[in-house]
């Protein structure tokens, strides 16, 4: 049986992400050093919590590596690889916003569809050379529309 405890998860997942980031930053590679790092980053965790954070951090590291590898192969032939990477990333920002709204942590923005469409217009020239199927449905649908030319005032609004 899987149990859910939001407070528990809200502590463990950020600890796993911090562990992953700090391991890279500090070059932590041995089990003893990783244990010491985790004790420093999350001193209040018990043994079960530490084991859980280690498992989560393993998944965070694997997922991060996979996302970066996929993105690198997707953006290599684009007009502007840096902005093409941003175009891939903006979809996760959209999802994160929608998830916060779903959890009741943020009010929905009635203007989000227009704002997202404008972001696609901004990124469109950068992703030339990249298959539209590398994007999710919302981004892909916007790519399939006729580009709207925005004035400087539209960007400042």
């Amino acid at each position: 049986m899987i149990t859910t405890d939001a407070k528990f998860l809200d502590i463990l997942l950020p600890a796993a992400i911090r562990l992953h980031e700090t391991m890279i930053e500090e070059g932590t590679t041995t089990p003893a050093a990783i244990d010491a790092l985790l004790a420093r980053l999350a001193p209040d965790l018990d043994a079960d919590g530490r084991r859980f954070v280690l498992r989560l951090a393993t998944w965070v590291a694997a997922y991060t590596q996979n996302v970066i590898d996929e993105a690198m192969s997707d953006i290599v032939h684009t007009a502007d690889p840096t902005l093409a990477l941003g175009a891939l990333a903006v979809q996760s920002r959209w999802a994160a916003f929608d998830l916060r709204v779903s959890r009741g942590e943020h009010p929905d923005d009635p203007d989000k569809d227009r704002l997202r469409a404008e972001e696609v217009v901004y990124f469109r020239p950068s992703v030339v050379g990249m298959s539209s199927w590398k994007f999710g449905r919302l981004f892909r649908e916007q790519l399939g529309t006729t580009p709207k030319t925005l004035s400087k005032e539209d960007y400042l609004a």
Side-chain angles (χ1 to χ4, degrees):
M1 167 78 72
I2 296 176
T3 61
T4 58
D5 181 345
K7 289 182 183 177
F8 187 65
L9 188 57
D10 286 345
I11 292 167
L12 297 182
L13 189 53
I17 293 167
R18 278 193 313 277
L19 177 61
H20 170 246
E21 291 172 344
T22 308
M23 285 178 65
I24 292 169
E25 179 67 27
E26 296 181 6
T28 309
T29 60
T30 65
I34 292 168
D35 286 343
L37 178 60
L38 182 53
R40 188 179 88 216
L41 293 174
D44 297 333
L45 289 179
D46 61 13
D48 286 339
R50 284 191 299 275
R51 279 191 297 276
F52 200 80
V53 167
L54 288 171
R55 290 181 70 188
L56 283 172
T58 303
W59 282 101
V60 167
Y63 179 74
T64 301
Q65 178 264 320
N66 182 267
V67 167
I68 292 171
D69 281 351
E70 287 291 321
M72 291 299 292
S73 66
D74 292 342
I75 67 173
V76 71
H77 297 294
T78 60
D80 185 334
T82 302
L83 286 177
L85 186 58
L88 291 169
V90 77
Q91 297 174 106
S92 289
R93 189 180 78 227
W94 295 351
F97 175 81
D98 292 335
L99 288 165
R100 285 192 306 276
V101 169
S102 293
R103 293 179 62 193
E105 295 176 354
H106 195 285
D108 203 359
D109 184 345
D111 212 24
K112 74 180 178 187
D113 292 337
R114 180 188 63 79
L115 294 170
R116 290 175 180 182
E118 288 177 5
E119 286 179 308
V120 174
V121 168
Y122 171 76
F123 285 117
R124 180 189 302 269
S126 305
V127 300
V128 170
M130 188 174 179
S131 169
S132 65
W133 290 102
K134 299 296 181 179
F135 297 98
R137 182 184 59 81
L138 294 175
F139 202 101
R140 194 170 52 246
E141 286 175 356
Q142 285 297 318
L143 284 175
T145 63
T146 303
K148 175 186 171 197
T149 304
L150 297 178
S151 68
K152 192 172 193 172
E153 290 77 31
D154 288 332
Y155 281 111
L156 299 176

